[in-house]
Amino acid sequence: MPKIRSFAPGWLNRPAPGHRLFEQPVDDSKLPASLAYTKKWKSGPRRTIAHRGTEVFVAVGKQIRWGDLVHLKETWESKPSRSGRTQRQDTEDSFEVFDEEAAAGNSQPGVGEGYRTIKTPVADDIRQLVMSPQQDFLAVLTSHTVHICILPDSSHLHASDSTPFKPKFWTLGPTTHVTSRSAVVSAVWHPLGVNGSALVTVTEDAVVRVWELSTSDRWTFDSPTLAVDLKRLADGTSLDQDFSVSTSATNKVFSPDSFDMEVAAACFPARSSGGWSSMTLWIAMVGGDVYALCPLLPQRWAPPPTLIPSLSVSIVSRVGATEDDPEVSAEAKVLAQQQLEWMSDLDNQEPKLVEVPFSDFPAEVYARPSRPGTVPRLQGPFQFEVNPDDEQDDEVELKDIYVIGEKINTADLMMGEDDELDASDEDRNGLSLTVVCLLSTSGQVKICLDVNGVEAKWLPPRNRLRTRLFTAPSTPPSLLTFQTFDTVKPVELTTDSWPMFSEDVTSRYAFYVTHPAGINHVSLAPWVFRLESELQGESEAGAQFRIDLLVQGRGSSSDRIYEQPAGQNALAAALAMSDPDLGHFVLSATLHDPVALFFDTPEREDSPAREDSPQLIEVGEHAQPPVVWEPRPLFHPSEALDQNCGLPAWLEHLKTGRRRPVIQQEVRLSIATLEVFTEGHRLVSTEVFDLNNAVAELFRKCEALQSELQEQIIKANEVKQRIDTISGTESGDDEPVSEDMLIKGRLRAAKQRQHELSKRMDNLRKKLGKATSRELSDKEKAWMGEVQALEHSIMPEEEGRLSSPSKAKQTWERFEEIKALRDALFSQADQLQKKSGEAIGHEGAASPARNLKIPADIRKAKVAQVMSLLERETALVDAVKSRLERLSVG
């Protein structure tokens, strides 16, 4: 679970301009209390927040608010004073200081750069905002209609303009998605669409439509390129049948599939998933069934570089394994031939290169293979393999589905190749199975594993029907129920709740669950990598046995990161964002206020290095500083305190209505007077009841705030005492001790203790030496003989000791010989010096004119040569002396 650092910051709270992103429109906020509370959010998914980088798009009613969070934060934090009531103008690139008095009369929100209002052509409240992969389209969904907003560049939205922005809107399917037809439950951008321009819509009556949008062709917004009726496809027997959608909106007949195949949600796995995952549409029905449609492709699609090679390797190996095996069924052989035919159609194509925004490499665009067919087979309903001790509710109503595709199998793809595949670590690490997560009305999350794997399947051709009748019926696909847990308590359940999944930005195996009671963070990392290591390892017990052990062990972690009081407004689906300027946070909203949770720096979980290790966990726990304060959610007072009183409007209505005479005359006991008093009492009692509840909630919060403040003061005092103890400035009767003296005293005590320990060690060593009287070993005797031989070779022999029989001279003998030679040389030098002096004296006396001249350079060279010899001999003698001294000491 990520550690919460803080909740909604000041730049998102009132009166900051960032709070106005989530406020209700002015027309709705001025409604009286008796009418304002009648406008409730209808049951359905509420994904009203989308983002493009640090820009957020918030749907409020029929409007879309745009805001740049970085700009809102920097502008609000850069203001020197935010408490003034006056209004001043900063630089052109900043907001005006918020003035509550002026804002009360300002009917046009969105004044200032960094915050704009986007006008939409919708006729009903916006339920979902879905951003395209390239972030150039924004799908705007109501209950029955779909509109595509062509998002402009950020510079156009940052322009200083107070008027609402009107971008280009296209109505998707003006005759298809209308209020007279089924509601739209999901709109998903196809992960393999060219530049993210393919949108898949799924309606409540189990109809899947693929739209390939192009701003240069209006017809692409009017009709889909592929429309499949899943109820017809479920009963299909051959490829040649018609599975298109009926155009008649009035001719509706009863069918059991109308109840069994009522769609709740649909989704695609990520584009970077391996195998057939990226082209598989998973569909969850309200009744609890799960279906898969593979391969579902637009007419023009752009696969990632590793997709087609990996599929080609798997298809060729499958054909080779089933072709000559007599035990393989005829249906499996037909399926292998169909996949081979599908891949052959791709191999015969010459892909077109299309430039990709924000990328240096163009994308290869292929056409959808027409063989064996454009409409795949509907796989399902999947059977859930549940353990005997697991309870399963037959009346479970699914509300959302979230699928995590399998990882890319780089080992089989690059077998025999010298080059390595260019894939990120996030795509390489993970589970080699598809994880299907289901969410029910009660907040129950069911984690399922697709052990067999979903592959591309088509219905058999018509000429294969006769042979298909004699084959045994194929077993229905199944999902292994790995874990089931609840995110909502029974007391928190509501009848109109619609829980939703949201992906996390830090890990592909983590997500958020948003429900009316709050937000939960779910992480699958505790068992995903352990399961993958078990599946890749070799064990005689088998994979099924090891999976059972993992199921009984530690499962997924589910933590409530945000909780709101019961009876509050429904939360929008949590949106996880990570930005260097903003940090890692989750953004949600009620009908009136934002909900933001800021976390510590996120850590990637898509790595086996995060395997549970006691040492790492212990180090991490001790490395955290003591918690001084706990972040608390921001308290928003009840909306009843801000609603206008409905009594004046009711009185004005009485003055102009049919009860006008009752108001003008005296009070009389009549039926008309009783009706007026009853209606007035009902209005006043409703408003007073709401105000009492709001004031009581505010009073309880103030009392809780006092206890929290006392606890905060106690923790602050504890921290202060720790600091005073460390610094030596704690209060007491004695004089304060400085930090320097405290550190020196600790060092002195440590040295004294070390000296005592070393002294005790020496005493123990001496006692141990005296207590042991064992004989010397052979190695010790040999070592002692070597020491004695070395001593005899260095020191002279004592009297009475026989000399070594070795012929080589000992070291001390050579030293004595060198000393004798030195003395002889010194004596000879003295004699020569005396003789040369006498000879020079005689010759000078006999013949003064005669003088012996020796060149100076020769004399200096000879003297230097003699001195070097003397120094060499002296150094040799000193070295021998020092060595003898060390040996004698040792």
Side-chain angles (χ1 to χ4, degrees), residues 457-508:
K457 290 185 179 181
W458 295 267
L459 291 171
R462 186 175 296 273
N463 56 0
R464 297 275 184 176
L465 289 177
R466 189 170 299 175
T467 59
R468 187 168 179 264
L469 294 175
F470 296 98
T471 59
S474 59
T475 58
S478 61
L479 295 175
L480 176 63
T481 304
F482 188 84
Q483 188 182 8
T484 302
F485 55 89
D486 295 327
T487 58
V488 181
K489 301 177 182 178
V491 295
E492 299 173 342
L493 296 178
T494 57
T495 56
D496 57 347
S497 64
W498 196 289
M500 295 164 290
F501 283 119
S502 301
E503 63 180 4
D504 192 9
V505 295
T506 60
S507 172
R508 62 184 298 189

Side-chain angles (χ1 to χ4, degrees), residues 171-474:
T171 301
L172 190 68
T175 60
T176 302
H177 297 305
V178 292
T179 55
S180 60
R181 294 182 181 269
S182 297
V184 180
V185 294
S186 293
V188 188
W189 294 97
H190 201 292
L192 302 182
V194 180
N195 290 336
S197 60
L199 183 66
V200 178
T201 59
V202 184
T203 56
E204 196 175 21
D205 59 347
V207 175
V208 178
R209 295 178 176 90
V210 180
W211 309 78
E212 300 181 46
L213 309 180
S214 175
T215 55
S216 60
D217 188 1
R218 184 185 182 89
W219 184 253
T220 58
F221 294 89
D222 292 340
S223 61
T225 58
L226 180 64
V228 182
D229 190 349
L230 299 184
K231 293 189 292 294
R232 290 186 177 184
L233 187 59
D235 300 331
T237 56
S238 67
L239 283 171
D240 302 331
Q241 290 179 323
D242 184 16
F243 305 110
S244 60
V245 184
S246 176
T247 57
S248 176
T250 59
N251 187 14
K252 294 183 179 179
V253 296
F254 173 78
S255 174
D257 294 336
S258 302
F259 299 94
D260 295 339
M261 301 192 70
E262 182 182 356
V263 178
C267 73
F268 278 101
R271 175 182 172 86
S272 59
S273 303
W276 301 90
S277 298
S278 56
M279 59 183 74
T280 303
L281 178 66
W282 291 84
I283 306 165
M285 303 299 174
V286 176
D289 294 334
V290 178
Y291 293 87
L293 203 60
C294 177
L296 182 65
L297 294 172
Q299 283 185 350
R300 298 173 66 249
W301 59 292
T306 59
L307 180 59
I308 293 181
S310 61
L311 292 180
S312 178
V313 171
S314 63
I315 290 174
V316 171
S317 60
R318 180 187 181 95
V319 172
T322 60
E323 188 174 9
D324 299 331
D325 192 354
E327 297 181 358
V328 177
S329 62
E331 186 178 1
K333 292 183 179 180
V334 171
L335 177 60
Q337 292 299 327
Q338 286 179 335
Q339 292 182 359
L340 182 61
E341 188 177 2
W342 185 84
M343 182 56 65
S344 300
D345 195 343
L346 279 181
D347 293 338
N348 295 331
Q349 296 182 22
E350 186 65 27
K352 297 181 180 180
L353 299 180
V354 177
E355 296 295 332
V356 180
F358 311 106
S359 179
D360 299 333
F361 303 98
E364 295 182 349
V365 177
Y366 290 85
R368 180 176 58 202
S370 58
R371 297 177 301 172
T374 58
V375 179
R377 182 177 183 176
L378 184 63
Q379 304 180 41
F382 286 84
Q383 293 185 353
F384 296 97
E385 298 180 359
V386 191
N387 290 333
D389 55 346
D390 191 3
E391 297 181 359
Q392 185 176 5
D393 189 2
D394 297 333
E395 298 181 357
V396 169
E397 291 186 2
L398 296 182
K399 293 300 182 182
D400 204 357
I401 183 173
Y402 182 71
V403 181
I404 306 172
E406 62 183 80
K407 69 173 184 178
I408 300 175
N409 193 355
T410 58
D412 295 342
L413 184 59
M414 302 304 294
M415 184 178 297
E417 300 290 340
D418 296 334
D419 300 334
E420 293 185 358
L421 185 64
D422 187 12
S424 61
D425 294 338
E426 184 177 356
D427 298 335
R428 294 174 183 267
N429 300 324
L431 190 62
S432 57
L433 302 177
T434 300
V435 182
V436 181
C437 306
L438 303 175
L439 184 61
S440 62
T441 308
S442 60
Q444 183 186 75
V445 178
K446 182 181 293 184
I447 310 296
C448 304
L449 300 178
D450 184 14
V451 180
N452 299 323
V454 173
E455 297 181 345
K457 290 185 179 181
W458 295 267
L459 291 171
R462 186 175 296 273
N463 56 0
R464 297 275 184 176
L465 289 177
R466 189 170 299 175
T467 59
R468 187 168 179 264
L469 294 175
F470 296 98
T471 59
S474 59

